[in-house]
Amino acid sequence: MELNKFAHFTISKKSFLLIFSLLFAISFSSIAQNKEQKIKKEEKTPVKIAKYFYKKLDGQLGDQRIEFDLMRFGSTLEGHFYFLDKEEKGTIRGTISETGRVSLEEIEGRTEEGDANIVGFFEGKFMSPTEIAGTWHSFDGEEYNTFTVKENYPEKSSSFWVVHEGRSYSGTATVDLVYVVMGDEKHNATAKKINEFINSHILNYEHPTSTKKQFGDHSEFLDDFVNRYKKASEKAQKESGQMPIWDNHHQIILDYNNHNIIVLEFVESVFEGGVYADEKINFVNFDLGTGERIKLEELFEKDFMPKLTKVAEDVFRNKYGFKDIEDFSTEGINFEDNKFVLNDNYALSKGGITFRFNEKEIAAHSMGAFEIFIPYSKIKDLIKKDSSLQEVIENNY
């Protein structure tokens, strides 16, 4: 009799566990379905966001502070990001959907083969025009975390908007002009100088294949492309019966915007026949307080160049595998007198200075461009106490 009671108790307990498991599964399934429906509902409810924009955002990735400088060009997103505890900036690029869904690759430098070194992915959504939230995971899938960033412009940064103009012809020729406009009421004088500099660059652009070196307005600049294409197209059709493909992109965008420093990035990509597009990126650095261009001589102590060059050469050699090379020319690198020298194409940032040698500047096109990043920690003793970098040094070192 006691045995039967024990058997009955065991069966009852098993039944209870089975019922509990079923109820839990139903409840969990219901929650998952509700969450999926909510996501689908959010996906169908677009957040109104400009087709072209610049946003400065900061927030959290897990327990780490992060900053984004993010720009939108139609369905494309590009920009830079910073971790609070790291000197070097990373690159972010990806896409945005009509409903505000965001997919971004996190890039740190390049691989040995010269490809973008993708280390992680951000997947999220614009929860409002000023906030992005979602998840991040590493390239290998070993690490996952959540992130949230909100639009924020620190006191010593500025707001900008983005303008897009363009032309196309017969589906075989396209020219795009994208540029930022500084719209900060706190820095009217600086905004005027920077905006005039940008406009002057466009109107006095020395196009590699155009005979015109000055333009009355932006429309004339864009129409010049179309007019040149029409002539080239007529000639090509007579000779081969085919329409040539032309593709020009001109961007003046933000590379850095903080600590009283504004860095503009001038990106040019010109394809008008041939094997490849001619591409180059040049930087111009401005003082937010004065609107004047920042020169290296204003940042560093007297006779700084030999030591800065030595540090830069060490970085260059280590990054590109020239550490034990005595003669650069044997590796296809062409410096005057075969001695490493810095150019004046540099970009200031939170953690250091980037110098860039464009394609065909010191090597054949096939070797690509060369960029080196020099952390301020390696050149602290060279920096003037009253320079534009003092704000950066005080906040990070």
Side-chain angles (χ1 to χ4, degrees):
M1 192 71 176
E2 292 296 325
L3 183 61
N4 290 337
K5 284 183 179 180
F6 181 76
H8 177 72
F9 173 77
T10 303
I11 292 168
S12 298
K13 187 176 181 181
K14 285 182 178 179
S15 299
F16 172 77
L17 290 173
L18 178 61
I19 293 168
F20 179 81
S21 298
L22 287 170
L23 288 172
F24 179 80
I26 293 169
S27 176
F28 184 81
S29 176
S30 177
I31 292 171
Q33 286 177 353
N34 289 337
K35 188 173 182 180
E36 185 177 353
Q37 288 172 357
K38 185 179 179 182
I39 292 172
K40 287 181 177 178
K41 186 179 179 181
E42 286 181 350
E43 185 71 27
K44 293 177 181 178
T45 309
V47 176
K48 292 183 179 179
I49 311 167
K51 290 288 186 182
Y52 289 79
F53 67 62
Y54 163 77
K55 293 182 183 293
K56 190 166 188 64
L57 309 108
D58 59 35
Q60 296 285 140
L61 171 57
D63 59 359
Q64 297 185 83
R65 293 287 298 171
I66 57 172
E67 300 174 11
F68 280 7
D69 281 312
L70 188 64
M71 300 189 71
R72 179 183 183 180
F73 314 115
S75 62
T76 302
L77 293 173
E78 293 180 12
H80 299 294
F81 76 94
Y82 301 86
F83 286 103
L84 191 63
D85 59 346
K86 289 185 179 181
E87 292 179 309
E88 193 163 2
K89 66 184 177 185
T91 297
I92 44 178
R93 70 180 186 191
T95 59
I96 178 171
S97 73
E98 290 296 322
T99 56
R101 296 294 301 181
V102 171
S103 296
L104 293 169
E105 297 172 336
E106 175 192 351
I107 300 168
E108 290 185 0
R110 294 193 172 276
T111 64
E112 291 182 359
E113 293 76 24
D115 300 320
N117 181 33
I118 301 171
V119 297
F121 300 91
F122 292 91
E123 301 286 344
K125 186 181 188 298
F126 270 92
M127 310 307 293
S128 74
T130 61
E131 179 183 0
I132 308 173
T135 60
W136 170 92
H137 66 88
S138 60
F139 182 80
D140 57 13
E142 294 292 323
E143 299 177 66
Y144 288 83
N145 226 319
T146 59
F147 79 93
T148 302
V149 288
K150 295 182 179 181
E151 192 167 0
N152 178 43
Y153 298 88
E155 182 183 351
K156 295 183 178 180
S157 65
S158 180
S159 59
F160 288 79
W161 69 83
V162 180
V163 177
H164 171 246
E165 301 174 39
R167 297 280 190 278
S168 61
Y169 182 78
S170 74
T172 52
T174 303
V175 57
D176 282 312
L177 173 62
V178 177
Y179 57 95
V180 293
V181 176
M182 185 173 174
D184 193 338
E185 295 181 357
K186 296 183 298 181
H187 303 95
N188 280 328
T190 295
K192 183 178 179 182
K193 288 180 181 179
I194 290 179
N195 291 337
E196 285 178 350
F197 184 92
I198 292 170
N199 192 52
S200 177
H201 173 83
I202 296 169
L203 299 184
N204 296 279
Y205 176 61
E206 294 187 8
H207 195 285
T209 61
S210 175
T211 56
K212 292 197 70 170
K213 303 303 178 186
Q214 270 193 326
F215 304 92
D217 54 29
H218 296 183
S219 290
E220 188 177 327
F221 170 79
L222 296 168
D223 289 340
D224 176 65
F225 169 86
V226 175
N227 293 333
R228 288 188 297 106
Y229 178 79
K230 287 179 178 178
K231 290 180 181 179
S233 179
E234 288 175 6
K235 182 180 178 182
Q237 288 186 77
K238 288 178 181 177
E239 294 176 352
S240 64
Q242 295 183 334
M243 299 276 282
I245 303 295
W246 282 20
D247 196 20
N248 280 202
H249 298 279
H250 309 278
Q251 296 181 341
I252 305 172
I253 56 180
L254 280 164
D255 187 77
Y256 190 69
N257 175 24
N258 208 347
H259 301 108
N260 270 335
I261 298 169
I262 302 293
V263 182
L264 297 180
E265 182 177 344
F266 294 76
V267 184
E268 309 288 350
S269 176
V270 175
F271 180 79
E272 297 184 2
V275 180
Y276 52 77
D278 286 323
E279 298 178 346
K280 63 180 180 179
I281 297 175
N282 291 308
F283 304 105
V284 181
N285 305 258
F286 292 91
D287 185 308
L288 178 60
T290 66
E292 299 298 325
R293 294 180 65 171
I294 300 173
K295 300 177 182 178
L296 291 180
E297 292 77 12
E298 300 168 353
L299 303 176
F300 299 110
E301 298 290 355
K302 187 178 179 181
D303 301 325
F304 69 92
M305 188 54 79
K307 183 170 182 181
L308 180 63
T309 301
K310 177 64 172 66
V311 174
E313 181 174 358
D314 289 343
V315 173
F316 180 79
R317 287 179 175 275
N318 287 327
K319 180 176 180 178
Y320 292 104
F322 303 140
K323 190 174 181 180
D324 300 318
I325 301 299
E326 293 185 9
D327 186 346
F328 280 119
S329 64
T330 61
E331 300 297 317
I333 305 298
N334 302 305
F335 288 113
E336 188 174 349
D337 298 327
N338 206 28
K339 292 181 180 179
F340 179 88
V341 291
L342 287 171
N343 60 14
D344 61 355
N345 191 17
Y346 57 89
L348 305 174
S349 66
K350 178 179 81 75
I353 306 178
T354 298
F355 283 86
R356 178 182 174 89
F357 299 95
N358 280 309
E359 294 174 356
K360 300 190 288 187
E361 186 174 348
I362 60 170
H365 177 271
S366 59
M367 296 184 70
F370 296 83
E371 279 194 357
I372 54 174
F373 176 79
I374 305 172
Y376 294 135
S377 57
K378 290 189 175 184
I379 53 174
K380 277 194 300 181
D381 58 323
L382 298 179
I383 298 173
K384 286 182 180 178
K385 302 301 180 186
D386 59 348
S387 75
S388 303
L389 293 180
Q390 189 58 32
E391 167 76 13
V392 182
I393 299 300
E394 288 177 355
N395 278 272
N396 296 285
Y397 301 97

